[in-house]
Amino acid sequence: MKILNRIIVIAVITLFLSCKSKCDKNSFKKEELLTTLNQFNLAFQNGDVKTLEAMITDNYIHTNGTSKAIHKKEWLNYLKKREHDIISGKLEVVDYNMDEIAIEFHCNSAIVTAKVKVITKTDKELKESAFRVTNLWVNNSGTWQRAAFHDGKID
C-alpha cells in the first residue's frame, strides 16, 4: 500500500510540475467543478456508465482501499456489471452523498477530498458505508474530467 501511495504522490507532483504556463486560479471556477462533481456522483449512483466514461480521462487510475489500482478499461468493466445489477433490481443505491468537500486548484487540475456516505440495498438488506476520498480532476479544453481516484473506508 505504501508503494501505491508513493506512486500516486509522484504522479500528482509530476502533473503539477508539467504545468508550464502561469496558473490562473480564477480561470477554473469552483462552481463549475462542483457542478461536474454532482453530475458524476449522480451518474455513479444511477449506474450511468455512458456518462461516467465521458467524465474520466483516457489514462484514468482508480484505487480502492482494498484493491490494487486499475485503469479505465477495468473500471468501466466493473461499472457495466454494477449497471446491470442496478437495472435488474439486484442492487439499489438508496443514497450516495458527498460532503466535507475541499478543493485545491493547481493550474489546470484540482485535488478534491471529501467524505462519501453510501446506502445500498441488496436482497432486502440495507448496507451503510462511509469513505474518505481523494480525486484528481483535470480541465481539458474547458471540460473537467476525473483522472484519478482513491478511497479508504471509515467507520
Side-chain angles (χ1 to χ4, degrees), residues 108-124:
N108 67 336
S109 60
I111 298 171
V112 177
T113 59
K115 181 178 181 179
V116 173
K117 296 178 189 174
V118 184
I119 301 173
T120 57
K121 183 178 177 183
T122 55
D123 299 324
K124 300 178 185 176

Side-chain angles (χ1 to χ4, degrees), residues 28 32 36 54-55 108 137-146:
F28 304 118
E32 292 173 357
T36 301
M55 296 183 80
N108 67 336
W137 287 82
V138 295
N139 192 293
N140 291 320
S141 303
T143 301
W144 285 104
Q145 290 185 300
R146 194 161 86 174

Side-chain angles (χ1 to χ4, degrees), residues 92-96 117-121 126-129:
E92 178 185 352
V93 183
V94 177
D95 189 37
Y96 187 91
K117 296 178 189 174
V118 184
I119 301 173
T120 57
K121 183 178 177 183
L126 285 178
K127 179 180 176 185
E128 295 184 40
S129 301

Side-chain angles (χ1 to χ4, degrees), residues 77-113:
N77 287 337
Y78 157 76
L79 290 176
K80 289 173 186 171
K81 292 175 189 171
R82 185 177 176 276
E83 178 182 45
H84 179 268
D85 288 347
I86 290 172
I87 291 170
S88 71
K90 184 177 179 181
L91 171 66
E92 178 185 352
V93 183
V94 177
D95 189 37
Y96 187 91
N97 181 41
M98 179 184 276
D99 62 4
E100 299 180 23
I101 298 170
I103 301 173
E104 289 293 328
F105 290 96
H106 300 272
C107 296
N108 67 336
S109 60
I111 298 171
V112 177
T113 59

Side-chain angles (χ1 to χ4, degrees), residues 3-25:
I3 293 173
L4 179 59
N5 287 339
R6 287 181 185 161
I7 291 170
I8 290 171
V9 169
I10 290 169
V12 170
I13 290 170
T14 301
L15 177 69
F16 297 145
L17 292 177
S18 68
C19 183
K20 295 178 183 170
S21 64
K22 184 179 178 182
C23 299
D24 179 5
K25 291 183 181 182

